Amino acid sequence: MKTHLYFVPGLAASIDIFEYLELPKETYEIHYLDWLIPLSENETLEDYAARMCKRIQHDNPVLIGVSFGGIMVQEMSKIVPTRKTILISSVKTKYELPRRLQIARTTKAYKLFPTKAIVNIESFAKYAFGSMAQKRIDLYRKYLSMRDEIYLPWAVYHVLHWQQETPLPNIIHIHGDADGVFPIKHIKNCTIIEGGTHVMILNKAKKISELLMAII
């Protein structure tokens, strides 16, 4: 019997970020959960997670989330029983957020987040980086596909205001020691990938694949 794996990408990211993972199809059944558009800017994280769970069609799946997707699968695991919940480049509690993000929450600086810069990433990148930005624009276009103007501020808000105080049971955490978004110095009890950045799901996919198979 195959093990069912459900993957949730990072904030604003598409399921294409998982394309370099190599997991044997005879052992695992892979399912990707792309982001839903929030019903409103006031939809709670719990209600959103419940809507995500409605797309899970198998008992005791393994949930795997990257970055904000890691927060999401933890919330989903409170609703549906899971075999394991695996975080990649994410956080287990609000205390693992770096100080700068905690300050952004306190000062509400996150409200200045330029969501339209991502919605119109091509124009923004050309303006900021010039003609050299075309390759980067192509990557943004491919991997940052969720550009809805309700989703983006909603997601940023819930990263900063996540209230989890203690790690949930049955959580496994894979983290890079060069992660610039969630620095390793704030992360406890994780499997470390040397040289892994916040986007290591793309450039450390072979190592992550090996870890996932060993863990599951």
Side-chain angles (χ1 to χ4, degrees), residues 5-95:
L5 312 181
Y6 283 81
F7 287 85
V8 180
L11 193 153
S14 74
I15 60 174
D16 287 334
I17 67 168
F18 301 113
E19 65 181 341
Y20 298 118
L21 294 179
E22 298 179 0
L23 300 168
K25 293 181 180 180
E26 63 273 15
T27 306
Y28 305 108
E29 188 80 28
I30 309 298
H31 311 272
Y32 301 108
L33 299 178
D34 50 5
W35 291 109
L36 302 169
I37 301 210
L39 297 178
S40 75
E41 62 183 13
N42 297 318
E43 183 173 16
T44 66
L45 192 63
E46 294 78 11
D47 287 348
Y48 188 100
R51 289 203 293 133
M52 292 285 279
C53 285
K54 288 181 180 178
R55 295 191 287 169
I56 294 177
Q57 302 297 317
H58 305 90
D59 295 333
N60 295 310
V62 176
L63 301 184
I64 303 169
V66 173
S67 191
F68 180 49
I71 290 176
M72 184 57 61
V73 296
Q74 289 174 84
E75 290 299 315
M76 293 167 67
S77 75
K78 298 175 183 178
I79 300 169
V80 297
T82 65
R83 179 172 171 179
K84 291 184 189 304
T85 302
I86 301 174
L87 319 181
I88 301 171
S89 307
S90 190
V91 294
K92 297 182 293 299
T93 72
K94 66 180 184 179
Y95 302 113

Side-chain angles (χ1 to χ4, degrees), residues 49-180:
R51 289 203 293 133
M52 292 285 279
C53 285
K54 288 181 180 178
R55 295 191 287 169
I56 294 177
Q57 302 297 317
H58 305 90
D59 295 333
N60 295 310
V62 176
L63 301 184
I64 303 169
V66 173
S67 191
F68 180 49
I71 290 176
M72 184 57 61
V73 296
Q74 289 174 84
E75 290 299 315
M76 293 167 67
S77 75
K78 298 175 183 178
I79 300 169
V80 297
T82 65
R83 179 172 171 179
K84 291 184 189 304
T85 302
I86 301 174
L87 319 181
I88 301 171
S89 307
S90 190
V91 294
K92 297 182 293 299
T93 72
K94 66 180 184 179
Y95 302 113
E96 291 187 335
L97 290 175
R99 179 173 170 78
R100 58 186 168 76
L101 292 185
Q102 295 184 33
I103 291 173
R105 176 183 62 217
T106 302
T107 62
K108 299 187 178 181
Y110 62 89
K111 291 188 175 182
L112 302 177
F113 181 76
T115 55
K116 289 186 178 180
I118 291 182
V119 173
N120 302 299
I121 194 67
E122 292 86 0
S123 298
F124 172 77
K126 285 177 182 176
Y127 174 79
F129 304 112
S131 60
M132 297 295 291
Q134 188 58 50
K135 185 175 181 181
R136 183 170 293 180
I137 292 171
D138 291 341
L139 289 174
Y140 284 145
R141 185 184 291 120
K142 180 175 183 179
Y143 294 119
L144 292 181
S145 63
M146 173 52 92
R147 306 186 192 181
D148 181 79
E149 290 189 39
I150 294 177
Y151 167 85
L152 288 168
W154 176 90
V156 170
Y157 175 89
H158 284 292
V159 170
L160 298 179
H161 291 82
W162 193 43
Q163 294 302 306
Q164 191 66 34
E165 297 201 349
T166 59
L168 296 172
N170 209 29
I171 296 289
I172 295 168
H173 192 169
I174 301 171
H175 210 82
D177 63 3
D179 193 309

Side-chain angles (χ1 to χ4, degrees), residues 176-196:
D177 63 3
D179 193 309
V181 176
F182 301 133
I184 191 67
K185 66 181 180 180
H186 301 296
I187 306 298
K188 299 180 177 9
N189 301 320
C190 68
T191 297
I192 297 175
I193 292 186
E194 292 186 9

